[in-house]
Protein backbone atom coordinates (compact mmCIF):
# COMPACT_ATOMS: atom_id res chain seq x y z
CA UNK A 1 0.00 0.00 0.00
CA UNK A 2 1.34 3.40 -0.90
CA UNK A 3 1.00 6.01 1.81
CA UNK A 4 1.52 9.76 1.49
CA UNK A 5 5.04 11.09 1.82
CA UNK A 6 3.62 13.45 4.41
CA UNK A 7 3.72 10.61 6.92
CA UNK A 8 7.47 10.31 6.43
CA UNK A 9 7.82 13.74 7.99
CA UNK A 10 6.70 12.65 11.42
CA UNK A 11 7.65 9.74 13.68
CA UNK A 12 4.89 7.50 15.06
CA UNK A 13 3.31 9.28 18.05
CA UNK A 14 5.44 8.42 21.08
CA UNK A 15 2.59 7.40 23.35
CA UNK A 16 1.03 5.21 20.66
CA UNK A 17 4.35 3.33 20.43
CA UNK A 18 4.66 3.05 24.20
CA UNK A 19 1.11 1.77 24.50
CA UNK A 20 1.98 -1.06 22.12
CA UNK A 21 5.09 -2.07 24.10
CA UNK A 22 3.23 -1.98 27.40
CA UNK A 23 0.41 -4.11 25.98
CA UNK A 24 2.94 -6.71 24.86
CA UNK A 25 4.61 -6.83 28.26
CA UNK A 26 1.35 -7.04 30.16
CA UNK A 27 0.17 -9.83 27.86
CA UNK A 28 3.36 -11.67 28.83
CA UNK A 29 2.43 -11.30 32.51
CA UNK A 30 4.81 -8.45 33.42
CA UNK A 31 3.51 -5.99 36.06
CA UNK A 32 4.20 -2.75 34.22
CA UNK A 33 3.73 0.57 36.02
CA UNK A 34 3.13 3.40 33.61
CA UNK A 35 4.29 6.86 34.58
CA UNK A 36 4.24 7.81 30.91
CA UNK A 37 1.19 9.60 29.60
CA UNK A 38 -0.39 12.40 31.64
CA UNK A 39 -3.86 10.96 31.97
CA UNK A 40 -5.58 11.58 35.33
CA UNK A 41 -6.24 8.30 37.12
CA UNK A 42 -9.28 9.43 39.14
CA UNK A 43 -12.78 9.95 37.74
CA UNK A 44 -14.22 13.09 36.24
CA UNK A 45 -15.76 15.17 39.06
CA UNK A 46 -19.27 14.09 40.10
CA UNK A 47 -21.16 17.28 39.12
CA UNK A 48 -19.73 17.06 35.60
CA UNK A 49 -20.80 13.44 35.22
CA UNK A 50 -24.26 14.34 36.57
CA UNK A 51 -24.55 17.21 34.06
CA UNK A 52 -23.55 14.82 31.29
CA UNK A 53 -26.24 12.31 32.31
CA UNK A 54 -28.85 15.00 32.09
CA UNK A 55 -27.49 16.38 28.82
CA UNK A 56 -27.41 12.96 27.17
CA UNK A 57 -31.08 12.49 28.02
CA UNK A 58 -31.93 15.77 26.30
CA UNK A 59 -32.73 15.11 22.62
CA UNK A 60 -31.60 18.62 21.68
CA UNK A 61 -28.01 17.36 22.07
CA UNK A 62 -28.37 14.40 19.72
CA UNK A 63 -27.97 15.94 16.31
CA UNK A 64 -24.98 17.34 14.49
CA UNK A 65 -23.47 19.96 16.71
CA UNK A 66 -22.98 23.48 15.49
CA UNK A 67 -19.26 23.96 14.98
CA UNK A 68 -19.48 27.39 16.60
CA UNK A 69 -20.60 25.71 19.80
CA UNK A 70 -23.67 25.79 22.01
CA UNK A 71 -24.53 29.15 23.46
CA UNK A 72 -24.40 27.62 26.98
CA UNK A 73 -20.81 26.45 26.46
CA UNK A 74 -19.56 29.71 24.97
CA UNK A 75 -21.19 31.71 27.75
CA UNK A 76 -19.83 29.39 30.45
CA UNK A 77 -16.30 29.78 29.07
CA UNK A 78 -16.66 33.57 28.97
CA UNK A 79 -18.04 33.62 32.53
CA UNK A 80 -15.18 31.39 33.71
CA UNK A 81 -12.55 33.61 32.09
CA UNK A 82 -14.09 36.68 33.73
CA UNK A 83 -14.29 35.04 37.17
CA UNK A 84 -11.01 33.14 37.13
CA UNK A 85 -8.70 35.43 35.14
CA UNK A 86 -10.48 38.80 34.97
CA UNK A 87 -10.51 38.47 31.16
CA UNK A 88 -13.56 39.72 29.24
CA UNK A 89 -14.52 37.60 26.22
CA UNK A 90 -17.37 38.06 23.76
CA UNK A 91 -19.05 34.63 23.73
CA UNK A 92 -20.24 35.24 20.16
CA UNK A 93 -16.89 35.89 18.52
CA UNK A 94 -14.09 35.23 21.01
CA UNK A 95 -14.92 31.70 22.21
CA UNK A 96 -15.30 28.47 20.25
CA UNK A 97 -15.26 24.84 21.39
CA UNK A 98 -12.52 22.49 20.23
CA UNK A 99 -12.36 18.70 20.27
CA UNK A 100 -9.48 18.88 22.72
CA UNK A 101 -6.44 21.14 22.58
CA UNK A 102 -4.71 18.61 20.32
CA UNK A 103 -7.27 19.01 17.54
CA UNK A 104 -7.25 22.76 17.93
CA UNK A 105 -3.48 23.14 17.82
CA UNK A 106 -3.14 20.84 14.85
CA UNK A 107 -5.84 22.65 12.89
CA UNK A 108 -4.35 26.07 13.66
CA UNK A 109 -1.37 24.95 11.60
CA UNK A 110 -3.60 24.18 8.62
CA UNK A 111 -5.41 27.46 9.03
CA UNK A 112 -2.34 29.69 9.30
CA UNK A 113 0.63 28.10 7.54
CA UNK A 114 1.49 27.99 3.86
CA UNK A 115 4.46 26.11 2.45
CA UNK A 116 7.65 27.66 3.76
CA UNK A 117 5.95 29.40 6.69
CA UNK A 118 7.34 28.88 10.15
CA UNK A 119 5.77 28.00 13.49
CA UNK A 120 7.96 28.84 16.47
CA UNK A 121 7.63 25.97 18.91
CA UNK A 122 8.61 25.71 22.57
CA UNK A 123 11.35 23.13 22.94
CA UNK A 124 10.86 20.88 24.84
CA UNK A 125 7.17 21.00 24.08
CA UNK A 126 3.97 19.14 23.35
CA UNK A 127 4.78 17.13 20.20
CA UNK A 128 1.93 18.63 18.10
CA UNK A 129 3.77 22.01 18.09
CA UNK A 130 6.28 20.45 15.70
CA UNK A 131 4.31 17.60 14.09
CA UNK A 132 1.43 19.92 13.24
CA UNK A 133 3.48 22.45 11.23
CA UNK A 134 5.23 19.63 9.36
CA UNK A 135 1.95 17.99 8.36
CA UNK A 136 0.64 21.38 7.27
CA UNK A 137 3.62 21.85 4.92
CA UNK A 138 5.25 24.44 7.14
CA UNK A 139 8.40 24.34 9.20
CA UNK A 140 8.73 24.22 12.98
CA UNK A 141 11.58 26.33 14.34
CA UNK A 142 12.45 25.42 17.90
CA UNK A 143 12.44 27.96 20.71
CA UNK A 144 14.69 26.35 23.32
CA UNK A 145 13.35 26.83 26.85
CA UNK A 146 16.37 27.69 28.90
CA UNK A 147 16.51 26.39 32.49
CA UNK A 148 18.68 29.34 33.51
CA UNK A 149 15.94 31.70 32.27
CA UNK A 150 13.22 29.86 34.23
CA UNK A 151 12.39 27.90 31.08
CA UNK A 152 11.62 31.04 29.07
CA UNK A 153 12.70 31.10 25.43
CA UNK A 154 15.16 33.79 24.35
CA UNK A 155 13.06 35.66 21.80
CA UNK A 156 15.97 37.95 20.91
CA UNK A 157 17.82 34.91 19.66
CA UNK A 158 15.20 34.08 17.00
CA UNK A 159 16.89 34.59 13.62
CA UNK A 160 15.65 37.31 11.29
CA UNK A 161 14.80 34.65 8.71
CA UNK A 162 12.59 32.78 11.20
CA UNK A 163 10.97 36.05 12.32
CA UNK A 164 10.09 36.93 8.75
CA UNK A 165 8.63 33.53 7.94
CA UNK A 166 6.91 32.90 11.27
CA UNK A 167 3.10 32.96 11.36
CA UNK A 168 2.55 31.07 14.60
CA UNK A 169 4.23 30.73 17.98
CA UNK A 170 3.40 28.03 20.54
CA UNK A 171 3.91 28.57 24.24
CA UNK A 172 2.61 26.66 27.24
CA UNK A 173 2.74 27.56 30.96
CA UNK A 174 2.47 25.82 33.39
CA UNK A 175 4.67 23.85 31.08
CA UNK A 176 4.60 20.30 29.84
CA UNK A 177 7.10 18.65 30.19
CA UNK A 178 9.30 20.82 32.44
CA UNK A 179 6.66 21.79 35.04
CA UNK A 180 7.87 25.42 34.80
CA UNK A 181 5.51 28.30 35.50
CA UNK A 182 5.55 31.40 33.34
CA UNK A 183 8.58 33.56 34.12
CA UNK A 184 7.81 37.18 35.06
CA UNK A 185 7.52 39.44 32.03
CA UNK A 186 7.53 36.68 29.42
CA UNK A 187 3.93 37.12 28.28
CA UNK A 188 4.53 40.87 27.87
CA UNK A 189 7.61 40.13 25.73
CA UNK A 190 5.57 37.66 23.66
CA UNK A 191 2.87 40.26 22.97
CA UNK A 192 5.49 42.75 21.77
CA UNK A 193 7.36 40.14 19.71
CA UNK A 194 4.19 38.78 18.09
CA UNK A 195 2.99 42.29 17.27
CA UNK A 196 6.31 43.37 15.74
CA UNK A 197 6.60 40.23 13.63
CA UNK A 198 2.93 39.69 12.74
CA UNK A 199 2.80 36.31 14.39
CA UNK A 200 -0.26 34.73 15.97
CA UNK A 201 0.78 33.82 19.52
CA UNK A 202 -0.91 30.62 20.67
CA UNK A 203 -0.84 29.97 24.39
CA UNK A 204 -1.66 26.37 25.14
CA UNK A 205 -3.30 26.59 28.52
CA UNK A 206 -3.65 22.96 29.48
CA UNK A 207 -2.53 23.24 33.11
CA UNK A 208 -3.62 26.56 34.64
CA UNK A 209 -5.97 24.73 37.01
CA UNK A 210 -3.34 22.28 38.24
CA UNK A 211 -1.04 24.23 40.54
CA UNK A 212 0.51 23.80 43.98
CA UNK A 213 1.89 25.66 47.01
CA UNK A 214 -0.68 28.43 46.60
CA UNK A 215 0.50 29.38 43.11
CA UNK A 216 -2.31 30.62 40.83
CA UNK A 217 -1.49 30.45 37.12
CA UNK A 218 -2.48 33.36 34.88
CA UNK A 219 -4.08 33.30 31.46
CA UNK A 220 -1.99 34.71 28.61
CA UNK A 221 -5.01 36.89 27.80
CA UNK A 222 -4.53 38.78 31.07
CA UNK A 223 -1.53 40.42 29.44
CA UNK A 224 -2.22 43.85 27.98
CA UNK A 225 -2.54 43.59 24.19
CA UNK A 226 -2.64 39.77 24.17
CA UNK A 227 -6.03 39.58 22.49
CA UNK A 228 -4.76 41.68 19.57
CA UNK A 229 -2.00 39.20 18.78
CA UNK A 230 -3.07 35.90 20.19
CA UNK A 231 -5.36 33.15 21.26
CA UNK A 232 -5.38 30.78 24.16
CA UNK A 233 -6.39 27.14 23.95
CA UNK A 234 -8.01 26.17 27.24
CA UNK A 235 -8.33 22.43 27.74
CA UNK A 236 -10.57 20.82 30.34
CA UNK A 237 -8.66 17.53 30.02
CA UNK A 238 -6.24 17.75 32.92
CA UNK A 239 -7.76 20.22 35.37
CA UNK A 240 -11.15 18.48 35.34
CA UNK A 241 -10.12 14.83 34.77
CA UNK A 242 -11.81 14.96 31.37
CA UNK A 243 -9.15 13.65 28.99
CA UNK A 244 -11.54 11.19 27.36
CA UNK A 245 -14.29 13.73 26.84
CA UNK A 246 -12.41 15.82 24.27
CA UNK A 247 -13.44 19.21 25.52
CA UNK A 248 -11.51 22.44 25.07
CA UNK A 249 -12.08 25.99 23.89
CA UNK A 250 -10.12 28.44 21.80
CA UNK A 251 -10.50 31.97 23.13
CA UNK A 252 -9.12 35.40 22.28
CA UNK A 253 -8.56 37.08 18.93
CA UNK A 254 -11.87 37.02 17.02
CA UNK A 255 -10.30 37.11 13.54
CA UNK A 256 -8.03 34.17 14.31
CA UNK A 257 -10.97 32.21 15.71
CA UNK A 258 -13.00 32.94 12.56
CA UNK A 259 -10.17 31.53 10.40
CA UNK A 260 -9.94 28.47 12.63
CA UNK A 261 -13.72 27.99 12.29
CA UNK A 262 -13.54 28.37 8.49
CA UNK A 263 -11.04 25.52 8.39
CA UNK A 264 -12.55 23.34 11.10
CA UNK A 265 -16.08 23.44 9.73
CA UNK A 266 -14.68 21.76 6.61
CA UNK A 267 -12.92 19.05 8.62
CA UNK A 268 -15.00 17.97 11.59
CA UNK A 269 -18.53 18.37 12.87
CA UNK A 270 -17.82 19.76 16.30
CA UNK A 271 -18.11 18.53 19.89
CA UNK A 272 -21.04 16.37 20.97
CA UNK A 273 -23.38 18.95 22.46
CA UNK A 274 -23.87 16.89 25.62
CA UNK A 275 -20.11 17.18 26.16
CA UNK A 276 -20.39 20.93 25.67
CA UNK A 277 -23.13 21.12 28.32
CA UNK A 278 -21.06 19.00 30.71
CA UNK A 279 -18.07 21.25 29.96
CA UNK A 280 -20.20 24.27 30.80
CA UNK A 281 -21.12 22.64 34.13
CA UNK A 282 -17.42 21.95 34.82
CA UNK A 283 -16.63 25.66 34.65
CA UNK A 284 -19.11 26.63 37.37
CA UNK A 285 -17.74 27.87 40.74
CA UNK A 286 -19.16 24.78 42.52
CA UNK A 287 -16.47 22.66 40.87
CA UNK A 288 -13.60 24.67 42.38
CA UNK A 289 -13.54 22.50 45.52
CA UNK A 290 -13.02 19.36 43.44
CA UNK A 291 -10.08 20.99 41.68
CA UNK A 292 -8.57 22.00 45.03
CA UNK A 293 -8.84 18.44 46.34
CA UNK A 294 -7.29 17.04 43.19
CA UNK A 295 -4.42 19.49 43.42
CA UNK A 296 -3.79 18.42 47.01
CA UNK A 297 -3.47 14.83 45.77
CA UNK A 298 -0.99 15.81 43.03
CA UNK A 299 0.98 17.98 45.44
CA UNK A 300 1.31 15.05 47.84
CA UNK A 301 2.41 12.75 45.01
CA UNK A 302 4.84 15.40 43.76
CA UNK A 303 6.44 15.57 47.21
CA UNK A 304 6.63 11.78 47.51
CA UNK A 305 8.34 11.44 44.15
CA UNK A 306 10.72 14.37 44.64
CA UNK A 307 11.79 13.01 48.04
CA UNK A 308 12.28 9.49 46.68
CA UNK A 309 14.30 10.85 43.75
CA UNK A 310 16.42 12.99 46.08
CA UNK A 311 17.18 9.90 48.18
CA UNK A 312 18.28 8.20 44.98
CA UNK A 313 20.62 11.11 44.29
CA UNK A 314 18.48 12.70 41.54
CA UNK A 315 18.02 16.41 42.15
CA UNK A 316 14.77 17.87 40.87
CA UNK A 317 12.98 21.15 41.42
CA UNK A 318 9.46 20.43 42.73
CA UNK A 319 7.18 22.00 40.11
CA UNK A 320 4.52 24.53 41.08
CA UNK A 321 2.15 23.25 38.41
CA UNK A 322 1.31 20.44 35.94
CA UNK A 323 1.22 16.72 36.64
CA UNK A 324 4.86 16.09 35.76
CA UNK A 325 8.28 15.75 37.33
CA UNK A 326 11.17 16.61 35.01
CA UNK A 327 14.46 15.05 36.01
CA UNK A 328 17.95 14.52 34.56
CA UNK A 329 18.88 11.03 33.37
CA UNK A 330 21.77 9.37 35.22
CA UNK A 331 25.29 9.42 33.82
CA UNK A 332 26.26 6.55 31.58
CA UNK A 333 23.37 6.66 29.13
CA UNK A 334 23.75 7.98 25.58
CA UNK A 335 20.26 9.40 25.37
CA UNK A 336 17.02 9.81 27.27
CA UNK A 337 15.45 7.20 24.97
CA UNK A 338 18.17 4.69 25.89
CA UNK A 339 17.62 5.36 29.60
CA UNK A 340 13.82 5.04 29.35
CA UNK A 341 14.17 1.82 27.35
CA UNK A 342 16.48 0.48 30.07
CA UNK A 343 13.97 1.42 32.80
CA UNK A 344 11.14 -0.24 30.90
CA UNK A 345 13.09 -3.43 30.23
CA UNK A 346 14.72 -3.78 33.66
CA UNK A 347 12.17 -2.23 36.02
CA UNK A 348 8.95 -2.54 34.01
CA UNK A 349 8.30 1.15 34.56
CA UNK A 350 7.28 3.49 31.76
CA UNK A 351 8.76 6.97 31.90
CA UNK A 352 8.91 9.43 29.01
CA UNK A 353 12.21 10.31 27.32
CA UNK A 354 12.83 14.05 27.34
CA UNK A 355 14.23 13.88 23.81
CA UNK A 356 10.74 13.03 22.51
CA UNK A 357 9.69 16.58 23.44
CA UNK A 358 12.42 18.23 21.38
CA UNK A 359 16.16 18.62 21.22
CA UNK A 360 16.31 20.64 24.44
CA UNK A 361 14.59 17.83 26.32
CA UNK A 362 17.49 15.49 25.65
CA UNK A 363 19.18 14.40 28.89
CA UNK A 364 15.94 14.45 30.89
CA UNK A 365 13.05 12.14 31.61
CA UNK A 366 9.47 12.90 32.61
CA UNK A 367 7.39 11.21 35.29
CA UNK A 368 3.63 11.66 35.25
CA UNK A 369 1.93 11.87 38.66
CA UNK A 370 -1.30 10.30 37.43
CA UNK A 371 -0.81 7.02 39.30
CA UNK A 372 -1.88 6.12 42.86
CA UNK A 373 0.68 6.91 45.58
CA UNK A 374 1.71 3.30 46.37
CA UNK A 375 2.31 2.48 42.70
CA UNK A 376 4.20 5.71 42.17
CA UNK A 377 6.47 4.95 45.09
CA UNK A 378 6.94 1.36 43.99
CA UNK A 379 7.91 2.59 40.52
CA UNK A 380 10.47 5.06 41.89
CA UNK A 381 11.86 2.35 44.18
CA UNK A 382 12.21 -0.03 41.21
CA UNK A 383 14.09 2.69 39.31
CA UNK A 384 16.32 3.40 42.32
CA UNK A 385 17.32 -0.25 42.55
CA UNK A 386 18.53 -0.44 38.98
C1 LIG B 1 0.69 21.05 26.81
C2 LIG B 1 -0.43 20.20 26.37
N1 LIG B 1 -1.28 20.67 25.46
C3 LIG B 1 -2.32 19.94 25.03
C4 LIG B 1 -2.53 18.67 25.50
C5 LIG B 1 -3.69 17.88 24.96
O1 LIG B 1 -4.90 18.36 25.51
P1 LIG B 1 -6.29 17.77 25.02
O2 LIG B 1 -6.58 16.55 25.80
O3 LIG B 1 -7.25 18.90 25.33
O4 LIG B 1 -6.19 17.51 23.56
C6 LIG B 1 -1.65 18.11 26.42
C7 LIG B 1 -1.82 16.73 26.88
O5 LIG B 1 -0.94 16.13 27.44
C8 LIG B 1 -0.59 18.91 26.87
O6 LIG B 1 0.28 18.45 27.76
Amino acid sequence: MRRSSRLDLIPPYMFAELERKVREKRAAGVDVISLGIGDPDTPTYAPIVAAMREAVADPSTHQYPSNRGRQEFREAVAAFYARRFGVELDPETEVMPAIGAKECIFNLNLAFLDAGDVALASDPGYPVYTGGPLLAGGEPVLLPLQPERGFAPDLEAVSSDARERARLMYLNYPNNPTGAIVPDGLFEQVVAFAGQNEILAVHDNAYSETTFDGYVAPSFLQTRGAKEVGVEVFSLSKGYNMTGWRCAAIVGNAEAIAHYWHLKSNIDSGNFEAVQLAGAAALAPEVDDYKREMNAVYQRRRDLVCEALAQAGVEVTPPKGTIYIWAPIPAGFDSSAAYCEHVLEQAAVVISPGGAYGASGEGYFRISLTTPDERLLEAVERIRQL
Side-chain angles (χ1 to χ4, degrees):
M1 189 183 293
R2 189 177 160 275
R3 63 178 208 176
S4 80
S5 52
R6 197 175 297 117
L7 285 185
D8 298 336
L9 299 170
I10 46 164
Y13 199 63
M14 174 183 61
F15 287 115
E17 270 298 284
L18 266 177
E19 236 172 60
R20 190 185 53 76
K21 280 191 193 163
V22 170
R23 245 197 333 269
E24 273 173 21
K25 286 203 174 300
R26 285 190 176 144
V30 180
D31 173 26
V32 180
I33 305 178
S34 178
L35 312 183
I37 197 163
D39 193 353
D41 55 312
T42 52
T44 304
Y45 310 140
I48 308 173
V49 176
M52 182 67 176
R53 280 210 178 91
E54 201 178 309
V56 159
D58 171 0
S60 82
T61 65
H62 295 180
Q63 291 175 291
Y64 279 126
S66 142
N67 238 321
R68 300 195 78 89
R70 290 246 330 192
Q71 186 81 9
E72 294 94 325
F73 180 77
R74 286 187 274 111
E75 284 178 359
V77 172
F80 173 78
Y81 261 71
R83 173 171 73 85
R84 167 72 177 83
F85 300 117
V87 169
E88 294 303 321
L89 295 170
D90 177 353
E92 297 305 319
T93 58
E94 296 178 337
V95 179
M96 194 169 295
I99 310 174
K102 190 175 188 180
E103 173 267 298
C104 184
I105 292 164
F106 174 71
N107 277 328
L108 286 172
N109 293 292
L110 286 183
F112 287 93
L113 299 181
D114 284 319
D117 289 344
V118 158
L120 300 170
S122 290
D123 163 37
Y126 185 55
V128 182
Y129 306 158
T130 47
L134 287 170
L135 288 173
E139 186 189 328
V141 168
L142 300 181
L143 285 179
L145 303 185
Q146 302 179 342
E148 58 284 6
R149 298 169 61 92
F151 291 99
D154 182 358
L155 297 178
E156 310 244 306
V158 177
S159 72
S160 54
D161 171 58
R163 282 171 199 237
E164 267 166 38
R165 291 195 289 135
R167 295 285 171 272
L168 290 169
M169 168 161 58
Y170 293 117
L171 293 166
N172 155 237
Y173 296 96
N175 181 257
N176 173 18
T178 66
I181 58 174
V182 63
D184 283 346
L186 176 63
F187 282 162
E188 287 78 2
Q189 273 179 36
V190 169
V191 168
F193 181 86
Q196 280 153 17
N197 296 291
E198 295 179 44
I199 294 169
L200 179 70
V202 180
H203 182 241
D204 177 7
N205 185 3
Y207 296 98
S208 64
E209 305 313 289
T210 306
T211 56
F212 318 121
D213 306 330
Y215 173 70
V216 179
S219 160
F220 171 60
L221 297 180
Q222 280 169 243
T223 317
R224 187 187 297 271
K227 216 194 267 182
E228 278 78 70
V229 298
V231 288
E232 181 157 272
V233 184
F234 180 78
S235 171
L236 279 78
S237 284
K238 314 293 170 135
Y240 298 83
N241 291 358
M242 290 178 74
T243 47
W245 300 57
R246 314 313 300 134
C247 189
I250 180 170
V251 295
N253 189 279
E255 193 187 336
I257 292 175
H259 294 318
Y260 166 71
W261 175 73
H262 179 165
L263 177 95
K264 180 179 164 63
S265 52
N266 279 285
I267 292 183
D268 66 57
S269 298
N271 298 57
F272 180 23
E273 290 198 355
V275 167
Q276 294 187 49
L277 292 176
L283 298 173
E286 298 81 74
V287 177
D288 289 357
D289 283 345
Y290 291 83
K291 289 194 282 183
R292 262 192 289 278
E293 277 171 34
M294 196 66 239
N295 286 346
V297 170
Y298 287 135
Q299 185 172 321
R300 185 182 70 229
R301 291 179 184 172
R302 173 200 71 172
D303 292 342
L304 288 175
V305 171
C306 288
E307 261 166 47
L309 286 173
Q311 278 166 16
V314 183
E315 280 309 319
V316 294
T317 311
K320 284 202 178 337
T322 77
I323 47 182
Y324 307 114
I325 304 292
W326 185 241
I329 62 170
F333 290 89
D334 286 350
S335 68
S336 57
Y339 176 62
C340 293
E341 188 75 30
H342 172 74
V343 171
L344 178 59
E345 291 308 323
Q346 303 302 317
V349 173
V350 178
I351 52 176
S352 310
Y357 299 91
S360 300
E362 194 41 78
Y364 292 85
F365 66 96
R366 192 194 80 172
I367 284 179
S368 167
L369 298 173
T370 50
T371 298
D373 298 25
E374 322 76 67
R375 294 288 278 171
L376 256 181
L377 280 179
E378 184 185 333
V380 177
E381 180 56 23
R382 285 192 203 172
I383 295 172
R384 198 179 65 78
Q385 283 179 5
L386 283 179

